[in-house]
Each structure stands twice: as structure tokens, then as C-alpha cells.
Amino acid sequence: DSGVTQTPKHLITATGQRVTLRCSPRSGDLSVYWYQQSLDQGLQFLIQYYNGEERAKGNILERFSAQQFPDLHSELNLSSLELGDSALYFCASSADRVGAGELFFGEGSRLTVL
Amino acid sequence: QQPVQSPQAVILREGEDAVINCSSSKALYSVHWYRQKHGEAPVFLMILLKGGEQKGHDKISASFNEKKQQSSLYLTASQLSYSGTYFCGTVSGGSNYKLTFGKGTLLTVNP
């Protein structure tokens, strides 16, 4: 158990819909990362937050948005969903701010868009 | 920006050694190594930082050539439990703290 909690574990929805994925980081960790993992793809970096502020941004689509709240949990919002958005979405937390610390990954949220 | 890993896949017999390589076109601040077993989350193996510091598990060894922006992960006397996909992640530093992972190397260890 990494200490990172992601909900929901599985989600099935239709194209055009909107979903919210939630992540609670490990106790004490201020950094939260979001990654997308599709079949035959590695871990695609989406975005990182540190103590409520956006720290780094990857190839995150405009239809996707994220935020980190004062209690440090984070949410990833995916809207106008397309079939290609089907993937496993991982959240990871770290005590480190600048990419020099271990990441602890949650079990992921598997999104299926039909 | 995505680091390049090689080989893409490797098959070993228990007890054999393997090396997984990772290279980047950018100057690196840190290199991360993670292992992911099928259906599970990635698990931390090691971090190598610019300047020589390393953090990780005692049974894992890796190198980081800062001048060449390359890192290698050394798996010796492989065990069945080593099977999985190994990901290299890099941070370029400066004001860019993106931790970007390569596509992974699938390692299969057979009895």
C-alpha cells in the first residue's frame, strides 16, 4: 500500500461526458503528479502540483483540467470525453518539489469511454 | 523530451544479468527508475541525481553519465520477481520539473 488513494478505481462512461478523478496523496506529501497510461504507451505526464500551485505541465489536453485543494487532495477533470481518452490514470505523490524524490503511485483509475 | 529506453524487451533465464539503458537529448537533473508489474502501479527503484547522489534499494544498481545524459539500470542474478516493465523517468531541471517517462522495457525472467 503506497498510501496514495485514488477514486474511483473503475469508471465507464459515454463519449461527450465529463468525469472527475480524485487523488489523496500520502500523508505529508505536498506534490501530486497525474499520469495517463494507455495500451502500448508509457506513462504520459499530464501535470504536477505542489502545495496547491501548478508546478509543471505536460501534454495535457485543453479538455482536461486539474487542481490541488488546500487539504492537498487533487482532482483531474476530463470533459467532452472521446474514445481515445480510455486509459489508466495514475496519481502519484512525493514529498519533493523538484523531481528529486521518490514518487508513490496510487492504484490508478481505469476509465473506459464507450 | 521523452527519454529513450533500450532494449524494448528482454527475456532472461533466472540467474542471468541484464542492463537497461535510458538516454535523453537534454541535460538532466535527475533520473528515476520504476518497475511496474502487470495490473499494478509503478514502484520506485532508484533516483540518480546530478552531482552523484543516489537514493534507492540496496539490491538495485544504476549509473548516471551526466555528460552523455544517459543512465543504465543493472539487474544482476535475476529472479522471477524481477519480471515487469521498467520505466526510466527524467527531469531536465532549470525551471522545468516535468518528470517524463520513457516507453518502458519489458523484462521477462523465466525459470
Side-chain angles (χ1 to χ4, degrees):
Chain A
D1 182 6
S2 67
V4 177
T5 304
Q6 287 188 249
T7 58
K9 285 186 169 41
H10 300 276
L11 189 56
I12 301 174
T13 189
T15 54
Q17 295 298 306
R18 172 190 171 94
V19 298
T20 297
L21 308 181
R22 182 188 169 99
C23 170
S24 294
R26 251 179 15 132
S27 177
D29 284 355
L30 300 181
S31 273
V32 170
Y33 296 75
W34 285 99
Y35 288 90
Q36 179 192 57
Q37 187 172 43
S38 305
L39 284 175
D40 299 327
Q41 293 293 321
L43 294 157
Q44 299 293 315
F45 172 73
L46 295 178
I47 200 163
Q48 181 208 356
Y49 284 87
Y50 180 83
N51 202 20
E53 293 188 4
E54 183 182 304
R55 196 72 189 139
K57 205 166 187 176
N59 297 326
I60 186 168
L61 300 171
E62 286 190 9
R63 300 184 286 108
F64 295 1
S65 65
Q67 60 183 120
Q68 186 180 28
F69 295 86
D71 67 352
L72 301 178
H73 91 271
S74 179
E75 292 182 357
L76 179 66
N77 299 297
L78 315 174
S79 61
S80 302
L81 286 168
E82 302 175 358
L83 295 178
D85 297 329
S86 295
L88 187 54
Y89 291 84
F90 282 109
C91 164
S93 75
S94 174
D96 184 77
R97 185 171 62 94
V98 296
E102 176 179 354
L103 264 62
F104 296 85
F105 283 82
E107 294 185 353
S109 291
R110 182 170 294 282
L111 174 66
T112 303
V113 182
L114 301 175
Chain B
Q1 291 185 349
Q2 183 178 39
V4 176
Q5 290 185 232
S6 63
Q8 288 184 314
V10 60
I11 299 175
L12 301 174
R13 288 205 176 274
E14 212 171 353
E16 292 181 337
D17 302 337
V19 180
I20 301 173
N21 300 303
C22 174
S23 65
S24 173
S25 59
K26 294 190 172 186
L28 299 176
Y29 169 70
S30 64
V31 179
H32 298 230
W33 288 96
Y34 288 78
R35 177 173 61 213
Q36 184 179 29
K37 292 184 177 287
H38 184 69
E40 298 181 7
V43 174
F44 169 77
L45 295 176
M46 176 165 281
I47 293 176
L48 303 102
L49 301 174
K50 183 178 178 179
E53 184 180 357
Q54 296 187 4
K55 311 176 196 176
H57 297 288
D58 293 338
K59 295 187 178 180
I60 300 288
S61 66
S63 64
F64 178 21
N65 187 324
E66 295 176 32
K67 288 185 179 179
K68 293 186 177 180
Q69 292 99 248
Q70 294 174 347
S71 177
S72 295
L73 183 70
Y74 304 99
L75 302 168
T76 57
S78 59
Q79 304 172 15
L80 297 177
S81 62
Y82 286 12
S83 292
T85 300
Y86 288 76
F87 290 101
C88 148
T90 57
V91 177
S92 299
S95 60
N96 177 3
Y97 299 106
K98 295 182 199 179
L99 175 48
T100 305
F101 287 94
K103 292 190 175 183
T105 295
L106 178 60
L107 177 75
T108 303
V109 180
N110 292 319

